Amino acid sequence: MAKTVVVKQIGSPIRRPAKQRETLIGLGLNKMHKTRELEDTPSVRGMVNSIPHLVQIVEERG
């Protein structure tokens, strides 16, 4: 089974640069306190690391 990470949106994209909003959408997040289980790949980690003030890794599985 592939490793996965559970990512939660903790910040609002209001008054943030468009690039940060697009990164949230790329992660599948669009509303506060939503969570997504994503495959643990370098691209997903890079997206999470680029907006640490908006998202949080809740759990790592696998």
Side-chain angles (χ1 to χ4, degrees), residues 6-54:
V6 178
V7 180
K8 180 178 181 178
Q9 182 176 344
I10 58 169
S12 172
I14 296 173
R15 296 183 57 99
R16 300 286 180 187
K19 185 82 171 168
Q20 292 180 6
R21 278 186 253 127
E22 292 167 2
T23 303
L24 275 176
I25 292 168
L27 289 170
L29 300 169
N30 60 352
K31 294 185 181 174
M32 292 288 293
H33 308 294
K34 286 241 179 174
T35 60
R36 286 287 308 246
E37 185 171 351
L38 304 167
E39 192 173 338
D40 191 6
T41 62
S43 60
V44 169
R45 288 286 181 160
M47 292 170 81
V48 169
N49 289 337
S50 69
I51 51 170
H53 53 288
L54 298 178

